[in-house]
């Protein structure tokens, strides 16, 4: 099955997007699929959660993405003593004007890296996740919108690590996708050793895109066509998760809408103006893994793989 290509104006955006991906591939070695999922998440106006151990390139990915996309970047190290106001900002008394002045917190950035989010208290986690959902901050009776685009990349250490506080299921649902970087393959690791990790410095990366281009791309993603049979396929997948005996919770209506947005972004990323079943299949696992809860002894990835194999395509 083939899909119509994008019109010339959108095709030029996709060409710039591919140039950005090529640059990112030169920094994050051997992680092409994860890079593309991160970019698709940004195009779909979602947020990304990276679950992995320290030292595998999570922070480098966030910094490289910000530099390549020309976005204002802030990083916050989450700790047990981090307060909600440390993220969102606080009003301070300005003696010169005899009035309170709001000092913006790091959440007022276009790309925010929330590093080791599960080391903070639930209250601080909730403050960030509320900003992610509402895309605004309310303080002192005043509502302040966050920048556009607004993209949060949060990293999470394995639950077995000391000092972690796992995110509740309802808060995990605020992330569009979850990815794991893992160890590099042998070839990428050898290149890393030969260059000492300095093959291409993140600080030297030129901006290939900019905020205005990304906002235009996000609008173009919203316009990617979805045919009726494709919507049938989405509903069949959602129903399969809800009826599977190994799962205690299935994909919610909000999760289904997220799947649609992710599939549109994946189709756009590959130069198509129409969503195909393979676009849904490509984003289903990173989108559904953190939203599905399995019974004891059941592996969520195994269930997802089986559902993708067994669910018929209309």
């Amino acid at each position: 099955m083939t899909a119509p290509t994008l019109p010339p104006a959108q095709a030029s955006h996709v060409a710039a997007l591919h140039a950005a991906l090529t640059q990112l591939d030169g920094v994050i070695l051997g992680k092409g699929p994860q890079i593309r999922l991160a970019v698709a998440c940004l195009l779909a106006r979602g947020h990304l959660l990276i679950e992995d151990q320290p030292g595998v390139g999570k922070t480098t990915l966030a910094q490289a993405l910000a530099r390549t996309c020309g976005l204002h970047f802030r990083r916050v190290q989450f700790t047990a003593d981090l307060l909600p106001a440390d993220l969102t900002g606080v009003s301070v008394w300005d003696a010169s004007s005899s009035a309170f002045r709001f000092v913006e917190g790091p959440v007022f950035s276009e790309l925010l890296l929330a590093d080791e989010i599960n080391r903070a208290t639930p209250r601080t986690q909730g403050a960030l996740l509320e900003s992610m959902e509402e895309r605004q901050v309310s303080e002192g009776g005043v509502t302040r919108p966050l920048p556009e685009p607004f993209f949060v990349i949060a990293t999470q250490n394995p639950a077995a690590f000391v000092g972690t506080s796992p995110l509740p299921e309802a808060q995990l649902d605020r992330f569009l996708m979850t990815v794991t970087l893992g160890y590099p393959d042998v070839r990428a690791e050898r290149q890393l050793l030969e260059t000492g990790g300095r093959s291409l410095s993140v600080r030297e990366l030129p901006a290939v895109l900019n905020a205005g281009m990304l906002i235009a791309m996000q609008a173009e993603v919203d316009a990617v066509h979805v045919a009726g049979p494709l919507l049938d396929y989405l509903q069949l997948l959602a129903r399969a998760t809800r009826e599977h005996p190994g799962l205690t919770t299935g994909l919610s209506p909000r999760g289904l809408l997220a799947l649609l947005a992710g599939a549109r972004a994946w189709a756009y990323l590959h130069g198509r103006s129409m969503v195909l079943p393979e676009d849904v299949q490509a984003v289903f696992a990173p989108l559904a893994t953190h939203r599905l809860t399995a019974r004891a002894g059941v592996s969520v990835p195994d269930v997802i793989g089986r559902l993708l194999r067994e669910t018929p395509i209309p």
Side-chain angles (χ1 to χ4, degrees):
M1 182 178 180
T2 59
T5 57
L6 297 171
Q10 296 184 26
S12 65
H13 282 163
V14 173
L17 200 56
H18 287 174
L21 291 171
T22 299
Q23 178 166 287
L24 290 169
D25 287 335
V27 180
I28 315 296
L29 303 176
K31 299 300 175 184
Q34 292 92 331
I35 290 171
R36 280 145 187 81
L37 285 170
V39 173
C41 191
L42 171 59
L43 292 174
R45 295 189 179 90
H47 303 288
L48 181 69
L49 179 63
I50 306 177
E51 297 179 301
D52 223 320
Q53 63 180 331
V56 295
K58 302 186 296 294
T59 302
T60 303
L61 172 59
Q63 293 175 328
L65 187 59
R67 295 283 299 182
T68 300
C69 294
L71 300 179
H72 177 241
F73 174 78
R74 301 281 293 274
R75 176 183 179 271
V76 178
Q77 180 65 50
F78 275 59
T79 56
D81 59 350
L82 188 71
L83 299 176
D86 296 332
L87 284 173
T88 59
V90 65
S91 292
V92 297
W93 179 255
D94 188 346
S96 61
S97 60
S98 299
F100 282 99
R101 176 174 56 86
F102 181 72
V103 179
E104 295 181 347
V107 76
F108 286 87
S109 57
E110 293 168 332
L111 196 157
L112 173 68
L113 173 60
D115 215 359
E116 297 183 310
I117 188 174
N118 56 340
R119 290 196 181 277
T121 62
R123 183 182 177 190
T124 303
Q125 293 174 357
L128 172 63
L129 294 165
E130 181 180 357
S131 299
M132 290 164 51
E133 179 71 12
E134 303 296 333
R135 297 182 181 267
Q136 63 185 22
V137 169
S138 296
E139 195 274 343
V142 178
T143 299
R144 297 174 173 85
L146 295 174
E148 285 290 341
F150 176 59
F151 184 44
V152 173
I153 297 180
T155 70
Q156 180 170 253
N157 288 331
F161 278 34
V162 176
T164 59
S165 178
L167 296 176
E169 288 79 0
Q171 295 186 355
L172 282 172
D173 193 48
R174 297 299 189 270
F175 291 96
L176 183 73
M177 295 181 188
T178 303
V179 299
T180 301
L181 292 180
Y183 296 116
D185 58 34
V186 174
R187 183 177 179 181
E189 191 171 53
R190 183 56 176 262
Q191 184 177 348
L192 190 68
L193 289 171
E194 290 175 344
T195 61
R198 298 184 297 272
S199 58
L200 186 59
S201 173
V202 173
R203 294 182 180 181
E204 298 171 357
L205 293 177
V208 180
L209 308 174
N210 57 55
M213 292 176 67
L214 284 171
I215 292 172
M217 290 176 186
Q218 289 173 338
E220 291 166 357
V221 167
D222 293 339
V224 172
H225 178 67
V226 181
L230 196 284
L231 295 178
D232 294 338
Y233 183 50
L234 292 176
Q235 289 186 290
L236 286 173
L237 282 172
R239 187 183 309 160
T241 65
R242 297 164 188 168
E243 297 176 353
H244 195 282
L247 299 177
T248 58
T249 58
L251 202 61
S252 68
R254 179 165 60 188
L256 191 56
L257 288 172
L259 179 59
L260 176 61
R264 275 184 161 134
W266 193 259
Y268 180 88
L269 196 63
H270 291 79
R272 294 190 294 271
S273 61
M274 174 179 164
V275 178
L276 301 180
E278 47 262 42
D279 298 319
V280 177
Q281 295 165 351
V283 300
F284 186 68
L287 187 138
T289 299
H290 62 291
R291 291 183 165 90
L292 303 179
T293 306
R295 301 186 187 277
V298 177
S299 167
V300 170
D302 289 346
V303 171
I304 288 175
R306 187 175 307 160
L307 292 180
L308 288 174
R309 292 191 301 270
E310 297 177 354
T311 303
I313 299 175

